[in-house]
Amino acid sequence: MKKSAIPTIKDIKDLKGKRVVLRLDFNVPIKNGKIIETMRIDRAMPTVEYLARKKARVIILSHIGKDASSSLMPIVRYLNKTMNVGFVSDFRTEEARKVADGLPEGGVVMFENLRLDDRETENDSEFSKYLSSFGDIYVNDAFAVSHRAHASVVGITKYLPSYIGLLVADEIKNLSLALKPKHPFLFILGGAKFETKMPLMKKFMKIADHVFVGGVLANDFFHDEGIEVGKSFVDTYSFKLTPLLKKGKIILPTDVVVKNGNGNKTPVKDINELSSVDRIVDVGPETIKNLAPIIKTAKLIVWNGPLGYYEEGFDKGTIALLKAISESRATSIIGGGDTAAVVEKLGLNKKLSFVSTGGGATLDYLVDGRLIGIDAIIKCKKRK
Ligand code: 3PG
């Protein structure tokens, strides 16, 4: 089946009165009961609004946090600023059934954190069946968790006619541009964990014209090359990076911001001048300047992972690069997670072509254009 042929909610003929189990990903950071980033929630709203407008009865499922300890209540409060959304604090009770059955046409209710029940992450079939019993139709609009074989993502598609929502359709449409790229194509990879990012690196070494590497991943290259990185963090992994450099596509930072324990000073140093006490915390201004001509001529730029420790305030490199990209004519696709958080903080969303809502899901999708949760929708046998 072609990607564009994945059935979406727009393909459902009559939604009036239908019970729709809608999986969303409202796993957003919350501090002291306050939502820090709302992008994932806001981007899911067009699907909720569409279903309500078509007079479906909508039961929203989501997880939040790694386990049962977090609540979706702050999200319900946020949603209630613009629409009426009910809440069920334990979806395993008779109360849940009563509330769901009593939903009026166009009504919306949200169940508490699915990870209250371990069977969710175990993809338990009885649990999938139980969740499916609340609906006539299942819709996955939770792109960011579609790389997980969980009961509400994969198992449930065995029991209900299944479709993707508008957000998942939008993610696929835009992220697919990175898989059949226009050239010149600049790929930017930052953050850490080479072990998990290697498949992505290999993929884009083949299809990109330039690959700029920042963050801890750049430290890894320097370290493998025998360049002094002082106290900088380096990953552990089971392969050698230096052979990748021979292909001539990789661009590494030429200058870096370091912290070296002498008060609050964070000097910029040439990469070949680091001492044993220096710790790399960001890329330097010369590195960003050197990228300018490539950014200027690029037709496509895809970026995943920040360049420095932005959570400790070392975000100048990431911000400068984001600004340069936002002023370029290239189609720009920003992978989710930490990079998306900086985009949101700067209010640059509208100046970039696409910002993904996924973290791990975006990384996985970019490797081969597939996710287990989306495959499950494609393969669903319950659709007529
Ligand atoms: C995410 O934030 O990447 C998704 O919500 C998936 O969360 P998980 O890694 O806890 O499964």
Side-chain angles (χ1 to χ4, degrees):
M1 187 178 290
K2 274 204 248 125
K3 279 190 190 74
S4 56
I6 302 172
T8 79
I9 49 171
K10 297 255 169 106
D11 297 312
I12 307 171
K13 296 245 156 53
D14 187 12
L15 279 162
K16 191 171 178 320
K18 294 268 165 54
R19 298 173 306 151
V20 176
V21 173
L22 173 62
R23 179 56 158 108
L24 299 177
D25 189 329
F26 285 157
N27 185 23
V28 295
I30 294 180
K31 234 189 204 158
N32 304 325
K34 204 175 167 294
I35 303 167
I36 313 288
E37 285 157 32
T38 62
M39 178 177 84
R40 272 191 188 171
I41 310 173
D42 301 336
R43 296 266 295 275
M45 288 322 284
T47 291
V48 181
E49 284 156 7
Y50 177 87
L51 294 171
R53 223 171 34 242
K54 296 278 176 186
K55 298 205 175 345
R57 295 146 69 200
V58 185
I59 296 110
I60 300 177
L61 306 180
S62 178
H63 71 286
I64 185 161
K66 291 273 169 218
D67 49 39
S69 59
S70 311
S71 173
L72 286 163
M73 196 56 212
I75 321 286
V76 177
R77 262 187 246 118
Y78 177 78
L79 294 178
N80 268 290
K81 288 182 187 162
T82 48
M83 74 189 306
N84 202 356
V85 178
F87 184 60
V88 169
S89 58
D90 192 338
F91 44 80
R92 297 163 296 192
T93 57
E94 267 313 301
E95 179 64 12
R97 182 75 56 198
K98 235 199 266 163
V99 174
D101 286 351
L103 266 184
E105 289 184 354
V108 182
V109 67
M110 179 143 78
F111 286 181
E112 180 58 291
N113 186 1
L114 285 175
R115 293 189 187 174
L116 262 179
D117 197 310
D118 289 343
R119 294 175 299 169
E120 162 64 0
T121 52
E122 289 161 4
N123 198 20
D124 179 277
S125 52
E126 277 308 309
F127 189 55
S128 299
K129 204 169 169 185
Y130 174 71
L131 294 175
S132 75
S133 71
F134 289 94
D136 305 304
I137 292 167
Y138 167 72
V139 174
N140 178 356
D141 212 20
F143 180 79
V145 76
S146 292
H147 59 318
R148 303 275 187 230
H150 291 175
S152 67
V153 179
V154 172
I156 194 168
T157 61
K158 257 202 206 146
Y159 303 102
L160 289 175
S162 303
Y163 300 82
I164 56 169
L166 305 175
L167 171 59
V168 169
D170 200 32
E171 291 273 4
I172 292 172
K173 184 177 125 206
N174 284 285
L175 294 180
S176 299
L177 298 177
L179 302 175
K180 283 201 182 126
K182 289 185 284 183
H183 296 274
F185 169 26
L186 167 64
F187 180 61
I188 302 167
L189 193 59
K193 297 194 200 135
F194 236 127
E195 199 79 51
T196 53
K197 289 188 178 162
M198 199 54 178
L200 202 61
M201 184 76 183
K202 280 195 175 146
K203 164 91 188 183
F204 286 95
M205 281 295 286
K206 279 192 211 132
I207 62 173
D209 301 291
H210 307 280
V211 177
F212 172 65
V213 181
V216 171
L217 303 185
N219 301 355
D220 296 339
F221 271 105
F222 297 136
H223 183 249
D224 276 17
E225 274 193 293
I227 294 172
E228 173 71 81
V229 291
K231 290 193 170 3
S232 307
F233 188 80
V234 285
D235 291 313
T236 47
Y237 39 85
S238 52
F239 38 77
K240 284 259 158 279
L241 293 177
T242 38
L244 288 173
L245 293 171
K246 290 198 189 104
K247 303 218 157 97
K249 284 189 178 180
I250 294 179
I251 304 165
L252 293 172
T254 50
D255 62 340
V256 287
V257 180
V258 299
K259 233 181 153 175
N260 48 24
N262 299 331
N264 289 327
K265 285 212 178 107
T266 52
V268 173
K269 287 193 172 183
D270 185 284
I271 191 59
N272 293 305
E273 286 174 353
L274 264 60
S275 77
S276 60
V277 294
D278 287 329
R279 179 166 78 93
I280 301 171
V281 290
D282 200 358
V283 300
E286 182 193 271
T287 298
I288 302 294
K289 221 165 119 198
N290 290 345
L291 285 170
I294 296 176
I295 292 172
K296 205 168 165 205
T297 54
K299 289 227 169 79
L300 175 67
I301 301 174
V302 177
W303 179 357
N304 193 286
L307 305 183
Y309 285 95
Y310 87 100
E311 62 280 40
E312 287 178 28
F314 298 104
D315 54 7
K316 281 205 182 100
T318 302
I319 291 175
L321 190 54
L322 273 174
K323 285 199 170 141
I325 295 172
S326 72
E327 283 156 15
S328 79
R329 279 196 295 241
T331 299
S332 48
I333 297 174
I334 310 296
D338 297 338
T339 332
V342 183
V343 170
E344 197 178 6
K345 198 170 110 191
L346 295 176
L348 282 177
N349 307 48
K350 293 223 165 74
K351 293 198 161 173
L352 298 158
S353 313
F354 185 73
V355 183
S356 176
T357 57
T362 308
L363 290 179
D364 284 4
Y365 186 83
L366 288 175
V367 173
D368 61 2
R370 295 181 67 177
L371 290 176
I372 195 161
I374 294 169
D375 282 355
I377 302 282
I378 296 170
K379 290 187 208 138
C380 173
K381 293 200 172 83
K382 291 280 174 185
R383 257 182 340 253
K384 289 199 191 93

